[in-house]
Amino acid sequence: MHYVKTFFTSLLLCFIASLSSSAQLPPPKDSLSPAQAAQNAAACSATDASSCAQAAAKILPQVMGPSPMEENLRRLTDEIGGRVTGSPQMAKAVEWAVAAFRAEGVEVHTEKYTLPHSWSEGDSRIELLGLVKFPIRGVSVAWAPATPPGGIEANVIDIGDGTQADFAKVTAHVKGAILLVHNDVIVTYADLANEWAKPLPIIARAAKEGAAAILWMGARDHLLLYRAINTSDGEIDKIPQAILAREDAMRLARTIAAYPAKVRVRLDLPNNIGGPIEQENVVGEIRGYEKPDEAVILAAHLDSWELGTGALDNGCNAAMVIEAARAIKATGLLPRRSIRFVLFSGEELGVLGSHAYVQAHRAEMDKIRAMITADYGSGRFTGYSLGGRRDTEAAVREILRPLESWNVNNHTYDMDLGSDHVDFFLEGVPTLAANQEDANYLANYHTASDTFDRVDMLSLKLNTVVVALTAWGVADRTEPLGKRLTHAEIEQHLVETGIDKQMKFFGLWDAWQSGARGRKP
């Protein structure tokens, strides 16, 4: 491994030399049409292109050489650990971030918002009663209510996948019962999307029909436990819920099949619920020399779940944002516009921290030129998801042209609701959400195995170069990356990308249309 890294470093040094020797770089190797190529040529002046090449040549050795990023990440994950918003660990993470920015001479401050409730898991216990007994391992769903003191003792009913038809088969027995719901193993991102969406109608039916609690079959193999949340506004859920180790849940299902209506469980979830409570986002800044009131935001979320230590989701990218700030600062280069390096809390609860930031800065959205974020571990960047905006692609390609050989200019037009760029997108601000190779992100998503040793540091360094150059390039361009879209134009992108359907499913569409969330009509 050491030999491979040494060899790769040699190649990088050659690449740096080529960047430094000439700003006239070869055109990107892509399949642009003649019209698109002409648009590309017009998108960035020769001065802008030269500026990007020079910035890349200075940023790259700063990041790829000795740097504090790995040790910063180790302290965040190994020493502070998992960082649930509203917890003492989250407060320590904020202190960590502020200290890391200040150590590099980057101006930094925090901005507060109010979280409706704090939440932490107590000593959860799931005990099988009756003739057949075996240990059942499980954890509470986040922001689920506590069971009454002493827990709940009730029959367990297997309702399969929890569809309306599954409920219809057992309607007469649901009231007062504990429901077992099956899940498939998560293999793809489509499976993960199903895990987010599937619980909502099941929870609504269970609460309406008077079920006492829900037990979810784990969607990971090998007894791997993970945290999930089924609310998105910081409010406490409707009904107690726990996620069972998959193998234990399957054994429970077989036991229920062997002894219908005779399997009972004592479920004790003494969750600790408090609030309201103030939380903070961390904001570092390098001020622009020409248009300091205009800003490009480079962001990641600092919070995580706590069964693991939140290294892939999203500690590595929080450390990356700080490293990008350090590298840009170390070059001595000043951009035309300001670059804000923002670490949000509350992302895992439904992007609450970034939503609060946008609400607090709503009057400034005309001057936010782009929001750049990464949230998929340390897998190599392949480009950005542009949220349906074809008008920004040419400029992004030009900015990243110095890194063309890294294969990072493969941009897509899709959009998702899964991270902190959402509220910026809904305000019409150009968003660049990093597309990344999966690497090991999905296998460790929200699980006890999301730990420091899973992070690919070489890949993370390469990604840092990409985001630092992107932020620099957007901030230093003569012209803005793209205009701020109107409400009607945003809605057109919502429909084109299919996000309108997701917003309707998750109950966000009415707030969008009324202007309560996103740009007003």
Side-chain angles (χ1 to χ4, degrees), residues 76-77 80-84 87 89-90 303-310:
L76 176 65
T77 56
I80 297 175
R83 307 164 297 281
V84 177
S87 70
Q89 289 73 25
M90 187 69 236
D303 64 311
S304 78
W305 294 119
E306 83 294 8
L307 296 178
T309 61

Side-chain angles (χ1 to χ4, degrees), residues 5 60 79 83 103 124 157 284 293 329 380-381 421 434 511 521:
K5 288 185 177 179
L60 197 148
E79 296 182 12
R83 307 164 297 281
S124 297
I157 299 174
D293 59 334
K329 183 80 173 178
R380 286 286 306 276
F381 286 4
H421 58 290

Side-chain angles (χ1 to χ4, degrees), residues 32-360:
L32 293 180
S33 68
Q36 288 172 317
Q39 183 184 12
N40 237 349
C44 195
S45 69
T47 302
D48 288 339
S50 174
S51 173
C52 288
Q54 292 170 7
K58 292 185 176 183
I59 290 169
L60 197 148
Q62 287 292 336
V63 175
M64 300 310 299
S67 117
M69 180 165 60
E70 184 168 357
E71 176 59 14
N72 278 344
L73 179 58
R74 187 200 65 78
R75 289 200 305 271
L76 176 65
T77 56
D78 283 353
E79 296 182 12
I80 297 175
R83 307 164 297 281
V84 177
T85 302
S87 70
Q89 289 73 25
M90 187 69 236
K92 290 180 182 179
V94 169
E95 293 174 359
W96 166 89
V98 169
F101 278 123
R102 284 181 177 159
E104 306 307 334
V106 177
E107 293 181 11
V108 63
H109 67 277
T110 62
E111 299 185 9
K112 295 181 178 180
Y113 67 96
T114 300
L115 182 69
H117 296 279
S118 64
W119 182 95
S120 64
E121 184 174 24
D123 184 14
S124 297
R125 294 176 181 272
I126 306 161
E127 182 183 2
L128 184 59
L129 309 174
L131 294 175
V132 180
K133 295 182 180 180
F134 51 86
I136 299 179
R137 287 150 285 205
V139 295
S140 176
V141 168
W143 265 251
T147 54
I152 298 168
E153 184 177 322
N155 285 348
V156 184
I157 299 174
D158 188 334
I159 61 167
D161 289 329
T163 65
Q164 191 167 356
D166 290 330
F167 265 92
K169 296 174 185 176
V170 296
T171 298
H173 308 288
V174 168
K175 188 172 182 179
I178 296 173
L179 310 182
L180 174 65
V181 184
H182 292 230
N183 279 316
D184 294 329
V185 174
I186 291 175
V187 177
T188 68
Y189 281 99
D191 299 332
L192 182 60
N194 181 61
E195 184 189 48
W196 292 340
K198 178 178 177 177
L200 299 185
I202 296 173
I203 294 167
R205 289 190 200 107
K208 181 179 178 182
E209 296 184 22
I214 300 174
L215 303 177
W216 303 96
M217 179 182 288
R220 313 302 200 278
D221 280 324
H222 311 301
L223 302 174
L224 186 59
L225 292 171
Y226 59 95
R227 189 74 73 197
I229 188 170
N230 295 320
T231 66
S232 59
D233 56 5
E235 296 293 346
I236 302 302
D237 213 336
K238 297 183 177 75
I239 186 171
Q241 302 164 59
I243 299 170
L244 307 187
R246 181 172 185 81
E247 291 79 2
D248 292 346
M250 295 175 74
R251 187 176 179 184
L252 178 59
R254 293 192 298 270
T255 304
I256 294 170
Y259 300 95
K262 293 183 180 180
V263 178
R264 292 179 68 79
V265 161
R266 181 179 293 117
L267 176 67
D268 190 8
L269 304 176
N271 297 328
N272 305 303
I273 297 169
I277 183 172
E278 281 192 334
Q279 290 298 282
E280 295 175 296
N281 297 319
V282 181
V283 184
E285 186 169 66
I286 294 176
R287 298 277 287 171
Y289 71 87
E290 183 179 300
K291 300 178 179 181
D293 59 334
E294 296 185 14
V296 175
I297 291 175
L298 175 58
H301 70 86
L302 183 56
D303 64 311
S304 78
W305 294 119
E306 83 294 8
L307 296 178
T309 61
L312 294 172
D313 190 13
N314 193 35
C316 62
N317 289 317
M320 179 185 71
V321 168
I322 295 171
E323 175 68 1
R326 184 198 69 80
I328 293 171
K329 183 80 173 178
T331 66
L333 295 171
L334 286 178
R336 281 188 173 86
R337 301 173 184 83
S338 298
I339 305 176
R340 292 182 193 165
F341 305 89
V342 187
L343 299 180
F344 294 113
S345 58
E347 191 273 348
E348 298 291 4
L349 312 186
V351 298
L352 299 187
S354 52
H355 174 65
Y357 181 93
V358 169
Q359 290 294 101

